[in-house]
Amino acid sequence: RKSSMTYTVLRLVAFYENLTPNFFGKVFATSWAIKMPKEQKLQLISTSDIGFFAAQAFLRHDDPVYMNKSMSLAGEALSFQQFKETFEKTTGEKLPMTYRFLAAALCWIAKELGYMFKWFRDVGFGADVEECKKVNPGMKGFATWLEMESAWKKG
């Protein structure tokens, strides 16, 4: 308390990058579908947007936006149906998923995975998406991330 050191704490939500074209990505999508109510939204962010906020926190450490603040960061809040529809519209492909029983078993076996989705469902992140976009107007929504940074980007 008596030092002149400042801090910025960046609290992160789920990453768009959890959706990958491999088994892990299929488990993430399927776990979301089975563990959360259909209408409940999950907050997500791109790791490049996290990098923006981290760089700004260092470069502008004396700015009131960052100085001695904790910030929850999110680029978008989507229900699973919105996530699926956005993926399919943007990529022209079906959302990669696995068998529901397999994802459920993995959420039970890999306790942390199950706890993560339980926390998403019961508590959530509470980030202010609009406030994050004010600080970083270039923040990516899910469709933009798919087009620019994902494994499904064209060219």
Side-chain angles (χ1 to χ4, degrees):
R1 291 188 186 270
K2 295 179 183 178
S3 81
S4 61
M5 183 184 302
T6 63
Y7 68 88
T8 305
V9 176
L10 302 177
R11 293 189 303 262
L12 312 175
V13 297
F15 304 153
Y16 296 138
E17 286 82 0
N18 287 333
L19 182 64
T20 55
N22 58 21
F23 183 69
F24 176 79
K26 291 176 182 180
V27 169
F28 176 79
T30 308
S31 297
W32 181 356
I34 65 175
K35 293 290 186 181
M36 292 182 65
K38 291 184 190 287
E39 68 284 347
Q40 187 174 0
K41 294 186 176 188
L42 178 63
Q43 293 184 321
L44 299 131
I45 191 169
S46 73
T47 56
S48 61
D49 285 332
I50 296 166
F52 169 88
F53 282 95
Q56 293 303 304
F58 282 110
L59 295 170
R60 298 172 41 203
H61 58 87
D62 55 352
D63 184 320
V65 170
Y66 298 99
M67 187 170 159
N68 300 330
K69 300 282 177 146
S70 293
M71 305 171 68
S72 293
L73 305 178
E76 193 157 17
L78 299 169
S79 68
F80 178 77
Q81 190 61 35
Q82 291 169 320
F83 181 76
K84 182 177 186 281
E85 288 171 2
T86 301
F87 179 87
E88 293 176 358
K89 181 181 176 189
T90 305
T91 67
E93 298 179 27
K94 300 286 277 177
L95 180 66
M97 295 182 70
T98 190
Y99 298 104
R100 294 171 74 86
F101 77 88
L102 182 58
L106 287 171
C107 283
W108 182 75
I109 292 167
K111 298 286 187 215
E112 292 81 9
L113 180 64
Y115 293 151
M116 178 178 75
F117 278 98
K118 182 179 181 340
W119 189 86
F120 290 166
R121 183 188 66 231
D122 297 346
V123 179
F125 295 104
D128 185 336
V129 174
E130 293 310 312
E131 187 61 31
C132 290
K133 288 179 180 180
K134 285 179 191 170
V135 175
N136 178 9
M139 227 155 156
K140 289 170 228 50
F142 183 49
T144 303
W145 174 81
L146 284 165
E147 293 168 343
M148 295 177 64
E149 297 179 9
S150 76
W152 292 273
K153 70 181 177 185
K154 310 284 191 247

